[in-house]
């Protein structure tokens, strides 16, 4: 079950909301935990034992680390923290990467053993709740948060259903006030509902429409024969929009749901496609993941305080691991290395010239680098990625007429145009329209108030119609 599935939208969520607001405040955390466990079971019942082990194990370790810190036993505190981090990461590696590592062994191919079938799929949400558990243990060890004595809160922190499938990766201190007293104001419920509807529309109306265009270009056998240059660029543009609106749409839905329940979740995106460098892109894209790697890996390795050669090595290591976090495939490793190399380049003298380059040149450089990186991210394997990159610069156009007739529908082109517009910061435009409406007297203010209610409702209806048409597709990041 996903946040945009009909079962969630029309059965699970209304039932949870009704129970939440009917329950006394002190019982609401228990109700949210119960809902989160049911949500997990409906998505992947085999994930429940893993999630339960993570909850109990990390709760006990955090208490032990906190006690060691209070007693001034530094060595014991560090050993316990190292044990907790290692246990979490090793289990994540076993669940996600054991099959990948086994597949790299040459003798398996000749033996006829399928590594994927041998080790199965990783448990639902394991990448996200494991990274949250690591951040919690390290923050307790550093004294940034106190160890939670209430098992229910630890369980809710790790399992809270809006963020379980695709994040954001929340810090314990961010969620704690809401978990202690989940009492959202009416304004929180209203703002959260609007945010949820906006995210659902981004997923279904934009990402869902762009997906088939990208799929047609990235398929093993592209429509119309060999992949031509125009089809390749059209597919890459579509995927660039699809992955952003798919993932940021999920974040909007998760953050909106959290606000409706009175629990704050961190922002994850800040218009990444307006970046002027790859470095800036990572300050705006998947913010909760990039800050996790910065705070719990890059800075402990020395950050920018060590020699230039070691900084470059640290950057490459961090981004290779960042790529591997996304999935057990060499394409993700290369994608991470690709971004790491750009960050290394931007720290050189030649790279720093970009900071003084015209804004248009910086935007073109960053967007081109990011889009070329998406080829590795989307491709099924490295040979397909290299073939796709070759098609992007092949100057061969035979077959595009067929693509234009069969794939580039008016709806898809409209979605692509809207994706370009809505990837830009439009807050100033919205404020200007609001100010103009306010100057229009009672009639203008009434129209603005009506639009604030009707627009999200219209997006919800349109999204429901799209889902009813049978165009549902899972969130891209749900598989990570």
């Amino acid at each position: 079950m996903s946040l945009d599935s009909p079962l969630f939208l029309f059965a699970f969520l209304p039932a949870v909301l009704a129970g939440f607001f009917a329950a006394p405040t002190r019982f609401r955390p228990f109700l949210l935990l119960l809902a989160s466990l049911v949500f997990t079971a409906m998505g992947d019942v085999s994930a429940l034992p893993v999630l339960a082990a993570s909850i109990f194990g990390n709760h006990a370790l955090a208490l032990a680390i906190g006690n060691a810190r209070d007693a001034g036993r530094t060595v014991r505190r560090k050993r316990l923290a190292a044990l907790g981090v290692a246990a979490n990461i090793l289990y994540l590696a076993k669940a996600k990467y054991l099959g990948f590592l086994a597949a790299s062994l040459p003798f398996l191919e000749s033996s006829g053993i399928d590594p994927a079938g041998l080790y199965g799929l990783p448990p639902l949400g394991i990448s996200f709740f494991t990274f949250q558990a690591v951040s919690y243990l390290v923050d307790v060890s550093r004294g940034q948060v106190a160890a939670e004595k209430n098992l229910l809160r630890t369980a809710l922190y790790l399992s809270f259903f809006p963020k379980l499938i695709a994040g954001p990766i929340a810090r314990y201190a961010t969620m704690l006030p809401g978990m202690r007293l989940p009492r959202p104001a009416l304004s929180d419920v209203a703002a959260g509902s609007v945010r949820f509807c906006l995210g659902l529309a981004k997923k279904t109306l934009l990402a869902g429409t762009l997906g088939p265009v990208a799929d047609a270009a990235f398929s093993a056998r592209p429509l119309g024969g060999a992949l031509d240059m125009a089809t390749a660029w059209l597919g890459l543009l579509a995927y660039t929009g699809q992955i952003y609106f798919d993932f940021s749409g999920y974040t909007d839905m998760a953050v909106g749901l959290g606000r409706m329940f009175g629990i704050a979740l961190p922002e994850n995106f800040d218009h990444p496609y307006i970046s002027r460098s790859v470095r800036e892109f990572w300050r705006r894209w998947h913010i909760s993941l990039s800050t996790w790697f910065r705070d719990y890996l890059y800075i402990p390795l020395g950050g920018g305080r060590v020699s230039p050669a070691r900084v470059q090595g640290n950057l490459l290591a961090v981004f290779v691991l960042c790529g591997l976090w996304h999935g057990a495939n060499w394409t993700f490793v290369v994608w991470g290395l690709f971004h790491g190399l750009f960050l290394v380049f931007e720290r050189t003298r030649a790279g720093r010239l970009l900071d003084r380059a015209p804004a248009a040149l910086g935007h073109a450089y960053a967007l081109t680098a990011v889009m070329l990186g998406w080829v590795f991210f989307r491709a099924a394997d490295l040979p397909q990625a290299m073939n796709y990159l070759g098609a992007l610069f092949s100057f061969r156009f035979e077959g595009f007429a067929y693509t234009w007739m069969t794939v580039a529908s008016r709806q898809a082109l409209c979605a692509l145009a809207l994706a370009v517009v809505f990837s830009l910061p439009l807050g100033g435009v919205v404020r200007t329209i609001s100010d103009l409406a306010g100057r229009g007297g009672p009639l203008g203010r009434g129209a603005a108030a009506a639009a604030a209610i009707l627009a999200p409702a219209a997006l919800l209806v349109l999204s429901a119609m799209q889902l009813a048409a049978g165009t549902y597709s899972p969130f891209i990041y749900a598989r990570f």
Side-chain angles (χ1 to χ4, degrees), residues 5 38 62 100 103 126 135 142 170 204 207 278 281 302-303 336 339 367 407 416 455:
S5 65
V38 171
F100 170 63
I126 189 171
S135 71
R142 292 173 177 175
T204 57
V278 176
F281 172 80
H339 277 264
L367 189 57
V407 177
L416 191 57

Side-chain angles (χ1 to χ4, degrees), residues 34-368:
L34 179 62
S36 298
L37 296 177
V38 171
F39 179 87
T40 304
M42 295 178 72
D44 177 13
V45 70
S46 65
L48 277 178
V50 178
L51 181 59
S54 179
I55 290 168
F56 285 106
N58 286 295
H59 181 75
L61 276 168
L63 288 175
I65 293 168
N67 289 336
R69 184 173 188 86
D70 293 341
R73 302 175 66 180
T74 303
V75 174
R76 177 176 171 79
R77 170 181 61 81
K78 290 183 176 180
R79 285 177 177 173
L80 286 170
L83 172 65
V85 171
N88 278 284
I89 297 301
L90 285 173
Y91 190 84
L92 175 64
K94 179 261 180 189
K96 285 188 68 172
Y97 308 113
L98 197 57
F100 170 63
L101 293 174
S104 301
L105 299 175
F107 66 84
L108 276 184
E109 184 176 356
S110 59
S111 67
I113 298 174
D114 179 13
L118 189 62
Y119 298 104
L121 295 174
L124 180 72
I126 189 171
S127 297
F128 293 93
F129 68 71
T130 298
F131 268 33
Q132 286 198 171
V134 169
S135 71
Y136 173 51
L137 294 180
V138 174
D139 288 350
V140 170
S141 178
R142 292 173 177 175
Q144 294 175 345
V145 296
E148 179 56 68
K149 297 180 180 179
N150 188 318
L151 178 61
L152 187 150
R153 288 196 197 114
T154 304
L156 183 57
Y157 166 64
L158 292 177
S159 67
F160 189 44
F161 71 86
K163 63 170 181 58
L164 180 69
I165 294 178
I169 302 168
R171 308 290 174 91
Y172 189 76
T174 302
M175 291 180 60
L176 180 58
M179 293 191 298
R180 279 179 174 165
L181 192 67
R183 189 188 294 169
L186 183 60
S187 58
D188 290 320
V189 177
S193 301
V194 170
R195 185 78 179 268
F196 181 85
C197 292
L198 176 63
L200 180 62
K202 288 165 74 172
K203 169 65 173 78
T204 57
L205 302 180
L206 292 181
T209 305
L210 294 173
V213 181
D215 292 344
F218 279 92
S219 64
R221 296 178 179 272
L223 296 175
L227 185 63
D228 63 274
M229 182 175 176
T231 299
W233 279 106
L234 178 63
L236 184 54
L237 282 168
Y239 187 69
T240 300
Q242 180 197 5
I243 191 169
Y244 172 55
F245 286 101
D246 184 283
F247 194 15
S248 68
Y250 183 98
T251 296
D252 286 337
M253 296 172 76
V255 172
L257 284 172
R259 190 164 183 183
M260 291 164 68
F261 292 118
I263 296 178
L265 295 176
E267 296 294 340
N268 225 10
F269 294 91
D270 183 17
H271 305 97
Y273 291 151
I274 68 168
S275 301
R276 295 176 57 181
S277 66
V278 176
R279 182 177 66 253
E280 183 184 356
F281 172 80
W282 279 101
R283 296 193 190 116
R284 296 174 175 273
W285 175 272
H286 205 171
I287 298 169
S288 65
L289 179 67
S290 59
T291 55
W292 192 98
F293 274 105
R294 180 198 66 196
D295 295 344
Y296 301 109
L297 184 58
Y298 178 67
I299 292 177
L301 287 174
R305 304 183 307 275
V306 293
S307 67
R310 190 170 163 193
V311 168
Q312 293 171 356
N314 290 344
L315 283 171
L316 291 176
V318 166
F319 274 88
V320 166
L321 291 173
C322 178
L324 195 58
W325 177 89
H326 285 82
N329 194 319
W330 287 111
T331 55
F332 294 119
V333 175
V334 173
W335 175 76
L337 180 62
F338 180 83
H339 277 264
L341 288 171
F342 273 101
L343 265 73
V344 167
F345 164 72
E346 290 174 9
R347 295 184 73 93
T348 65
R349 182 176 300 177
R352 284 192 287 270
L353 291 176
L354 286 169
D355 296 335
R356 299 192 293 272
L361 181 61
H363 291 313
Y365 152 76
L367 189 57
T368 302

